[in-house]
Amino acid sequence: MLPDVAGIDRPFDYVVPSELDDRVGVGTRVRISLHGRRVGGWVVADRVTPPEGVALRPIARVSGLGPGPDVVELAGWAAWRWAGRTGAFLATASPPRAVHDLPARGRRAGGGPVSGNRGDLEEGVVAEALAQARTVVRLPPASDPFPLVEAAIAGSADGAAALVIVPSQEWAARTADRLRRRGRPVALLPDAWADAAAGGCVVVGTRSAAWAPAPDLSAVVVLDAHDEAHGEERAPTWNAWVAAAERAERRGAPCLLVSPCPVLEALAWGRLVTVSRRAERQGWAPLEVVDRRKEDPRSGLFSERLVAVARGAGTGAADRVVCVLNRTGRGRLLACGACGELARCERCEGPLAQTDSPGRPPGPAVATDVLRCRRCGEERPDVCAACGARRWRVLRPGVARVREELEALAGKPVGEVSSQTAEGTDAPLVVGTEAVLHRVRAVGTVVFLDFDQELLAPRYRAAEQALALLARASRVVGGRTGRGRILVQTRLPGNEVIDAALHADPGRLAAADAERRSALGFPPATALALVSGPSAGAYVAGLEAHPVEVLGAGDGRWLVRAPDHRVLCDALAAVPRSPGRLRVEVDPPRA
DNA sequence: CGGACAAGCTGA
DNA sequence: CAGCTTGTCCGG
């Protein structure tokens, strides 16, 4: 039994009382006495030979069904692959509420096998996509992947299960609904865990569905496989498509990753299938590049072109305008309006930012209540430390400030959306962080106010993440057929990301990006892990004896680099963890 | 993780 | 040396 206790990653042996024998198997959730207390756990092996000289205790009780043996094995692999506890994965794979009996197996709701309707997908693409075990289908952002999902699961025999993983709960619900209307029995995770375990249905859900029960798994489909929502942010930092692909592989089932802009790791994993150039162009929105190199830097985030677009917002039928700026708050970098000194933290010297108080009236950049350091949290009265003036020039504005300025420039109310707040999302003009692209409908124009921030972000994945933003925006405006458009304000108009979106050809970026990452030693040419926490130092010292490269930035965090995951994960698993908090992020999302 | 127990510190 | 804190070990 593996206890469900943080800090214990080791199985213990117990006796299964004969009256429980028929209810206990690999994966079963049980309660056990451990060290004088009752804890939950999973059966991870059955009929083992216990070590000699240990008095075995019996299982206290069976607390319900758990993942099947295939998923228990996969959890063991994942614990190695992402340097985490097996129990963390088994917890994700277990039902949210105890399940004691399974419902009847999924049955077709009538309607028979699905045929025909493949939407705007070309017949050849579907055939090609289904011909191999590991396939990446590059489907443009505004094209509906549902026909591909149907085609992929159509091959599953009655009684076999297929797995469909999507990045959001809303998309999962919509997909489940469409499948049901086409006569398919569906289990929508996480609630329908028991239906999934009963088998014979399509299992649909977000990333945790990669761990759902799926007896006789026959196919796996991952939609928007590039989406960061497929990756768990907390350690272990597992990724749903990677886990699902491994699961399919172990089972001998085909796995299909669908994405408008596949990540390099996916391209290295499987064979790429693309639609025709014509079809791909239809699915990406026209892109207008606003070249800001020759503009007066004092015009800030607002080019003449943007001001014209903002003033015209809402005049046409679908001409809502959404402006994207990935900076929350009011001002992230301030210079004194009187003496020009930067507002910096007295404790850590980081930049002081204005706090975002939503109710405040629009107007010039006057004093708020306090300035806060985003690095160390220190707060200070809102006056210049050098001269005592209370007026700031905002060198790096956030969305709250941009909303005020846009209202003044466009002469109309402006909505504001971030992951925390949403006000006036129905307004003809809305500004927000990238969250806005998930929260608004019926948009004619998406403007990226500071795209260089995305292009120049200090992350090795910055380029493909920037392209993913343009793909998202293309979808929001409905591609070329949706008569929408994307405006990109940039001082890097020839950048490969912009070039790829302009030509509706993500392959242009992938080729250049792969070469660059290979030269710099970034994935997928290598495998990385980020190690942090109070006991990280001792841990990375232990890694020295292994064939990995350890790079310290002197900030208590270390980057571990290896030629591949096999070497990396073997090393991470071999080094004992000293007591104390340690965070190991394999494939670090923010490196 | 959290209980058990040992070693270390304090004040009388 | 009792009474308490802090640290280390280990679980079937």
Side-chain angles (χ1 to χ4, degrees), chain A residues 7 12 78 81 116-117 212 282 305 322 333 345 376 395 439 484 548 552-553:
Chain A
F12 297 87
R81 175 62 176 72
N117 185 13
Q282 285 303 308
R305 182 75 183 110
V322 165
L333 185 63
C345 173
C376 73
L395 301 184
R439 304 271 282 273
V548 297

Side-chain angles (χ1 to χ4, degrees), chain A residues 14-405:
Chain A
Y14 288 82
V15 172
V16 179
S18 55
E19 69 271 20
L20 295 180
D21 197 42
D22 56 341
R23 292 172 56 205
V24 171
V26 170
T28 307
R29 299 269 293 135
V30 291
R31 280 197 85 75
I32 47 183
S33 293
L34 183 71
H35 211 62
R37 63 200 168 114
R38 284 283 175 93
V39 297
W42 297 270
V43 178
V44 290
D46 209 355
R47 298 173 207 292
V48 296
T49 316
E52 279 182 45
V54 182
L56 296 193
R57 295 172 151 279
I59 286 175
R61 64 183 181 86
V62 170
S63 47
L65 297 171
D70 57 332
V71 173
V72 172
E73 245 188 60
L74 188 72
W77 170 82
W80 168 82
R81 175 62 176 72
W82 286 286
R85 284 188 314 118
T86 303
F89 296 100
L90 292 178
T92 306
S94 298
R97 276 171 301 281
V99 171
H100 292 284
D101 304 291
L102 291 185
R105 263 175 105 73
R107 290 269 147 74
R108 275 183 195 281
V114 170
S115 64
N117 185 13
R118 300 225 149 144
D120 52 0
L121 266 184
E122 295 132 350
E123 194 66 36
V125 170
V126 173
E128 208 187 336
L130 302 178
Q132 290 116 177
R134 302 171 162 206
T135 312
V136 179
V137 184
R138 201 174 76 205
L139 217 54
S143 133
D144 180 12
F146 186 74
L148 198 52
V149 172
E150 270 199 311
I153 65 182
S156 25
D158 240 10
L163 193 51
V164 180
I165 303 171
V166 299
S168 73
Q169 198 52 244
E170 186 266 325
W171 194 347
R174 189 155 34 93
T175 303
D177 210 42
R178 286 175 81 176
L179 286 166
R180 280 194 201 102
R181 276 188 272 124
R182 303 279 283 180
R184 281 272 173 186
V186 174
L188 177 60
L189 270 283
D191 292 340
W193 190 97
D195 294 312
C201 55
V202 183
V203 179
V204 183
T206 53
R207 66 169 175 259
S208 59
W211 302 96
D216 304 315
L217 181 66
S218 64
V220 173
V221 185
V222 182
L223 298 186
D224 263 8
H226 68 280
D227 197 310
E228 287 170 61
H230 287 302
E232 171 63 59
E233 286 178 9
R234 294 161 299 184
T237 52
W238 58 278
N239 182 290
W241 81 255
V242 178
E246 175 71 18
R247 186 172 179 184
E249 184 101 12
R250 285 165 176 251
R251 163 90 206 149
C255 179
L256 204 66
L257 306 184
V258 185
S259 167
C261 46
V263 296
L264 292 180
E265 286 81 354
L267 295 173
W269 163 85
R271 226 196 93 175
L272 178 67
V273 174
T274 56
V275 298
S276 69
R277 293 273 58 238
R278 190 194 55 81
E280 198 159 25
R281 266 195 304 275
Q282 285 303 308
W284 284 80
L287 196 76
E288 186 180 326
V289 179
V290 181
D291 182 353
R292 307 213 62 206
R293 285 175 299 178
K294 299 219 170 65
E295 276 181 52
D296 186 340
R298 280 173 299 178
S299 58
L301 291 171
F302 310 104
S303 63
E304 280 177 34
R305 182 75 183 110
L306 167 70
V307 173
V309 167
R311 291 203 170 127
T315 49
D319 217 10
R320 294 182 67 213
V321 176
V322 165
C323 297
V324 180
L325 177 68
N326 264 331
R327 276 198 303 267
T328 53
R330 293 177 45 70
R332 286 285 189 90
L333 185 63
L334 309 166
C336 175
C339 73
E341 199 72 21
L342 286 178
R344 294 172 81 194
C345 173
E346 279 147 11
R347 176 145 47 127
C348 77
E349 305 198 322
L352 289 168
Q354 290 172 324
T355 49
D356 181 15
S357 41
R360 71 179 287 290
V366 295
T368 50
D369 326 273
V370 289
L371 299 176
R372 181 178 289 123
C373 175
R374 289 179 50 86
R375 205 186 289 171
C376 73
E378 179 86 341
E379 289 191 355
R380 207 190 72 191
D382 190 10
V383 295
C384 174
C387 74
R390 294 177 55 82
R391 199 162 41 82
W392 299 102
R393 271 187 299 126
V394 182
L395 301 184
R396 211 170 289 153
V399 287
R401 165 116 193 113
V402 165
R403 190 189 65 78
E404 295 164 9
E405 295 191 356

